[in-house]
Amino acid sequence: MKKVISLSPTKSGFGPLLYSGDLSLGLKRAGELGYDGVELSLRDAKELDSKALQHQLSLYNLRVYGIATGQTYYNDGFSLFAEEGEKRLKALERMKGHVDLAAQLGAAVIIGGIRGKIESLVDYDEIFSHGKEMIGEVCRYALDKKVMILLEPINRYETNIINTLAEGMNIIRELGYANLRLLADTFHMNLEEVSYGQVLLEVGPCLGYVHFADSNRLAPGWGHTDFQGIYQTLCEIGFDGPVGIEVLPKPGDDEAAKQGIKFLNHLLKNN
Ligand code: LER
Ligand code: MN
C-alpha cells in the first residue's frame, strides 16, 4: 500500500486538506516525513504550474497518486449532477483538464464532491441519469489517456448522490468502464456502512483507492474507527493501492501530517 497525504495548492473552504494554500511546504513536509506521494485537491488544473510541480516531486521523491476535484463544486458551483446542463458541461470541462494533468503525472482522478447535490426531489431521477451520463463521459475521455477514475461515495450530510459503497459499485457495474473504480473513505463509511469489513469484502474487486480519516475527520488514531480491522480486510482482499490521509488540519498541519504517517507506518509494520 502507498502512503499518501492530501494537499491543496489553494486555500480551500473544503476542510480536510493539509498545508492548504502552500503546496511547496506540503510537498516538502510530505517528503521529509516519508510519505510515498500526495493527492492534490484542485479547483482548475490550469492553475497549477506542472513543470514546477514535477521538479518538486522529484526533489522529494514523491508521486501524485490522485487528483481530487470537489473544489469545482465547493468554490465555483459547477457539478456533474447540476440541474442546469450548462453547469454540468462546465464541470465536465474541468474534469477533462484534471484528466489531462493526471495523464502527465500518472495519477487517478476522483469523482467525489464534484457530483454536487440534487436540489429538486421531484426531478431527482432525471437529473441523476444526466449526472450518470457525465460520469460516463469522463470515463470515456480518461480511457484514451489511460487514466483511472475513482468514484467516491460521500455521506448523506454532504450529498444525496451515492452515499454507500454498494451504490457506487452498482453504478460502476452499470456503466461498465474498465477504468472506473471505487474510492472508500473511512470517514464516510463510519456514517453510512453497516460494517467496515463486510462491505470491503463485497466491493473488493472494484476498489482502487482508500481515504483514511478517523470518525471525527481527525488523523487516524485520534477517533474511534477500527483501522486495525479495516487494514486486515484490505490485506485479505489483496488491496495494494494508495491510502490517502485526508484529515482536518487539527490541532495543526504538522501535527496531523505526523500522526498520519506514524499511524500508517505502525499499521503496515505490525501486520
Ligand atoms: C473528499 O475526498 C471527501 O471525502 C468528501 O468529504 C468531499 O466532500
Ligand atoms: Mn474522501
Side-chain angles (χ1 to χ4, degrees):
M1 289 180 212
K2 301 293 175 230
K3 295 169 274 185
V4 175
I5 183 171
S6 289
L7 308 173
S8 169
T10 44
K11 193 105 199 120
S12 163
F14 171 63
L17 298 166
L18 299 182
Y19 306 102
S20 163
D22 194 345
L23 184 58
S24 297
L25 180 63
L27 293 167
K28 183 168 183 284
R29 289 281 195 269
E32 287 166 354
L33 290 169
Y35 282 94
D36 297 308
V38 300
E39 179 181 313
L40 299 179
S41 172
L42 302 179
R43 228 194 99 236
D44 188 334
K46 282 194 212 115
E47 288 177 356
L48 198 76
D49 178 347
S50 75
K51 281 251 160 63
L53 172 67
Q54 306 236 23
H55 172 72
Q56 281 179 308
L57 291 171
S58 66
L59 195 64
Y60 301 121
N61 199 21
L62 294 167
R63 258 193 61 184
V64 178
Y65 284 94
I67 295 181
T69 58
Q71 291 194 42
T72 295
Y73 174 64
Y74 302 125
N75 292 4
D76 303 319
F78 305 137
S79 66
L80 293 174
F81 287 71
E83 196 164 346
E84 307 89 327
E86 207 179 302
K87 285 192 179 170
R88 291 198 295 273
L89 290 178
K90 288 257 192 219
L92 179 62
E93 203 180 297
R94 291 278 181 90
M95 286 302 292
K96 289 183 175 174
H98 291 130
V99 169
D100 292 340
L101 176 67
Q104 284 176 43
L105 298 169
V109 176
I110 302 167
I111 297 183
I114 196 166
R115 291 197 297 283
K117 278 182 200 147
I118 298 178
E119 304 294 345
S120 161
L121 295 184
V122 178
D123 300 321
Y124 186 98
D125 292 347
E126 195 190 331
I127 299 169
F128 190 89
S129 72
H130 288 317
K132 229 167 24 184
E133 281 166 26
M134 291 289 113
I135 296 180
E137 290 276 337
V138 175
C139 292
R140 262 196 301 282
Y141 185 79
L143 206 52
D144 281 349
K145 302 184 181 245
K146 301 193 174 22
V147 170
M148 188 194 287
I149 302 299
L150 298 159
L151 185 58
E152 177 178 15
I154 289 177
N155 76 75
R156 70 190 72 183
Y157 304 107
E158 297 182 43
T159 185
N160 56 358
I161 309 159
I162 313 169
N163 303 123
T164 65
L165 288 167
E167 285 166 357
M169 188 171 70
N170 288 341
I171 304 267
I172 289 174
R173 293 207 167 133
E174 187 188 327
L175 291 173
Y177 289 97
N179 62 335
L180 182 58
R181 295 268 179 92
L182 266 183
L183 188 159
D185 180 321
T186 58
F187 174 75
H188 302 304
M189 290 174 75
N190 174 55
L191 292 160
E192 295 293 342
E193 306 295 348
V194 176
S195 134
Y196 294 105
Q198 175 143 1
V199 75
L200 287 173
L201 289 175
E202 281 163 16
V203 304
C206 280
L207 193 65
Y209 201 110
V210 176
H211 279 162
F212 266 18
D214 219 318
S215 48
N216 44 13
R217 258 294 185 216
L218 297 182
W222 288 347
H224 57 73
T225 296
D226 173 21
F227 285 104
Q228 182 67 40
I230 291 171
Y231 180 72
Q232 270 161 11
T233 312
L234 290 174
C235 292
E236 218 175 297
I237 62 175
F239 178 78
D240 197 26
V243 178
I245 299 292
E246 189 191 48
V247 300
L248 294 170
K250 288 185 178 177
D253 294 292
D254 279 338
E255 291 89 337
K258 277 184 198 154
Q259 169 68 10
I261 194 75
K262 192 173 107 192
F263 193 89
L264 287 176
N265 283 338
H266 186 77
L267 202 61
L268 270 64
K269 198 170 79 206
N270 290 298
N271 286 283

